[in-house]
Amino acid sequence: QLVESGGGLVQPGGSLRLSCKASGIIFSNYAMSWYRQAPGKQRELVARVTSSTHYADSVKGRFTISRDNVKSTVYLQMDSLKPEDTAVYYCNAQWWSYDYWGQGTQVTVSS
């Protein structure tokens, strides 16, 4: 089970930190990712962390993904937020054929 938290309403230029707590899996085995889906658009990969990190070009330099294997939690620190970052953000855990999703958390960037 993956449970996201930390979404909300923020002004442009502001920051938010998303968290995703995992349970029922061997967390350290899994690649952990954040995806997002804006209204009318396809779900897209935002960032992924394994032993290294990968970011979508649109968030490089603004977002930081990190994981705490002791707490079985992955984080997404989002800085310099823009209105185009508005979306539902989903946590994903993937290992071989095992693929789990959280329920999503809404992030709205608006003045």
Side-chain angles (χ1 to χ4, degrees), residues 7-58:
L9 173 64
V10 64
Q11 292 187 342
S15 298
L16 281 176
R17 188 194 196 204
L18 305 183
S19 299
C20 172
K21 171 74 172 175
S23 60
I25 63 172
I26 303 174
F27 183 80
S28 58
N29 286 348
Y30 284 73
M32 298 301 299
S33 303
W34 287 97
Y35 286 75
R36 67 186 180 187
Q37 188 167 19
K41 295 188 177 181
Q42 289 189 329
R43 191 172 296 189
E44 64 174 355
L45 176 67
V46 175
R48 174 171 290 141
V49 59
T50 53
S51 56
S52 60
T53 56
H54 168 80
Y55 296 94
D57 288 343
S58 59

Side-chain angles (χ1 to χ4, degrees), residues 35-84:
Y35 286 75
R36 67 186 180 187
Q37 188 167 19
K41 295 188 177 181
Q42 289 189 329
R43 191 172 296 189
E44 64 174 355
L45 176 67
V46 175
R48 174 171 290 141
V49 59
T50 53
S51 56
S52 60
T53 56
H54 168 80
Y55 296 94
D57 288 343
S58 59
V59 306
K60 279 182 182 176
R62 300 189 299 120
F63 291 11
T64 303
I65 189 170
S66 61
R67 64 188 298 161
D68 185 332
N69 288 340
V70 173
K71 294 182 178 180
S72 297
T73 301
V74 62
Y75 305 97
L76 186 68
Q77 177 66 41
M78 305 186 293
D79 299 317
S80 302
L81 282 160
K82 305 175 180 180
E84 51 263 43

